[in-house]
């Protein structure tokens, strides 16, 4: 066993442990931090596979942006997850069995892709360009339409999220900005004429006479 193989097993073990702790941690903040560790371990595995672009993209996009947003939302909302975790271990065997079946199906489908005895060797020109440039050429030539389809789906998801947040709720106090702009000083300020001297209340006068 060489160094690359040992590092692969170490990062894979850390990835599996972090993924398991994501679904078993009682605190949502701890679960999000374990998810950060899982993403970082996956990026290390991709780095060992010489997929530097995917590794850096995973760290910058998911660890640096998405997970920071998750942590911000989780810590700001402060949701009580105790009710959500009721009967968790009761349903865990069924969930584990379903996950094992899904993993087995994915393994049966993907194992054939690893058996490539006649895989094409990269040319010296391709090696000189680097995998990032080759990946861009492959995406924007052979996979251009799937890329555009994914972009359209992401755009629809963004529009749907905005539409859901902009729906009017009965318990929300809403002020029309147009009405605020039309407001005038005469409508908001009223001058009231008051006498300069105000007599003391009668109760106070009676109390002072009794004390005298």
């Amino acid at each position: 066993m060489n160094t690359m193989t040992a590092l692969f097993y170490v990062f894979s073990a850390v990835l599996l442990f972090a993924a398991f702790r994501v679904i078993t941690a009682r605190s949502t903040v701890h679960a999000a931090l374990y998810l950060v560790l899982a993403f970082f371990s996956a990026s290390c595995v991709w780095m060992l596979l010489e997929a530097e672009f995917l590794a850096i993209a995973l760290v910058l996009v998911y660890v640096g942006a998405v997970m920071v947003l998750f942590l911000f939302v989780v810590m700001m909302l402060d949701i009580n997850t105790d009710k959500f975790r009721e009967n968790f271990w009761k349903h865990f065997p069924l969930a584990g069995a379903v996950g094992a079946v899904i993993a087995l199906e994915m393994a049966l489908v993907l194992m054939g892709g690893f058996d490539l005895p006649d895989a094409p060797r990269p040319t010296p020109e391709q090696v000189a360009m680097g995998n990032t440039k080759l990946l861009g050429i492959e995406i924007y030539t052979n996979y251009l339409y799937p890329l555009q389809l994914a972009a359209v789906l992401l755009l629809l998801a963004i529009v749907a999220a905005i539409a859901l947040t902009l729906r009017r709720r009965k318990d929300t106090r809403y002020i029309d900005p147009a009405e605020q702009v039309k407001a005038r000083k005469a409508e908001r300020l009223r001058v009231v004429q008051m006498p300069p001297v105000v007599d003391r209340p009668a109760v106070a006068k009676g109390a002072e006479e009794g004390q005298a």
Side-chain angles (χ1 to χ4, degrees):
M1 180 182 297
N2 54 12
T3 306
M4 298 292 290
T5 305
L7 290 176
F8 176 80
Y9 283 117
V10 169
F11 291 140
S12 299
V14 174
L15 175 60
L16 293 176
F17 170 75
F20 179 76
R21 289 296 298 162
V22 168
I23 61 175
T24 57
R26 300 187 63 86
S27 175
T28 52
V29 177
H30 293 171
L33 292 176
Y34 277 117
L35 189 57
V36 172
L37 178 60
F39 285 152
F40 187 78
S41 301
S43 66
C44 292
V45 173
W46 282 350
M47 191 71 72
L48 292 176
L49 296 176
E50 297 182 358
E52 294 86 1
F53 177 78
L54 296 178
I56 297 301
L58 182 62
V59 172
L60 293 180
V61 176
Y62 285 94
V63 178
V66 177
M67 290 312 304
V68 172
L69 179 62
F70 281 1
L71 284 173
F72 178 77
V73 172
V74 167
M75 297 178 71
M76 287 295 293
L77 293 180
D78 194 15
I79 301 176
N80 186 11
T81 58
D82 293 337
K83 295 182 179 180
F84 298 154
R85 299 186 60 85
E86 291 181 358
N87 300 324
F88 173 79
W89 294 106
K90 179 181 179 181
H91 303 288
F92 181 76
L94 179 60
V98 173
V101 172
I102 293 174
L104 181 61
E105 291 177 351
M106 293 180 62
L108 292 177
V109 173
L110 297 177
M111 284 302 294
F114 294 101
D115 188 12
L116 297 174
D118 299 330
R121 296 287 182 179
T123 61
E125 293 79 7
Q126 293 177 346
V127 174
M129 285 190 296
N131 57 3
T132 303
K133 187 174 181 179
L134 292 175
L135 181 61
I137 295 173
E138 189 72 16
I139 289 177
Y140 289 101
T141 53
N142 297 331
Y143 297 95
L144 180 60
Y145 291 111
L147 179 65
Q148 292 179 347
L149 180 60
V152 171
L153 292 177
L154 290 176
L155 179 61
L156 291 177
I158 294 173
V159 173
I162 295 174
L164 289 175
T165 55
L166 290 180
R167 61 181 179 179
R168 187 178 297 276
R169 298 175 53 183
K170 297 181 180 180
D171 56 346
T172 302
R173 295 182 178 179
Y174 176 76
I175 300 177
D176 190 3
E179 297 295 333
Q180 290 182 326
V181 173
K182 294 178 182 179
R184 297 294 182 267
K185 181 177 66 175
E187 300 173 357
R188 298 299 180 92
L189 179 64
R190 185 179 62 177
V191 179
V192 179
Q193 296 292 338
M194 299 182 63
V197 178
V198 180
D199 296 334
R200 288 179 296 176
V203 177
K205 289 182 178 181
E208 291 180 358
E209 291 177 356
Q211 292 178 358

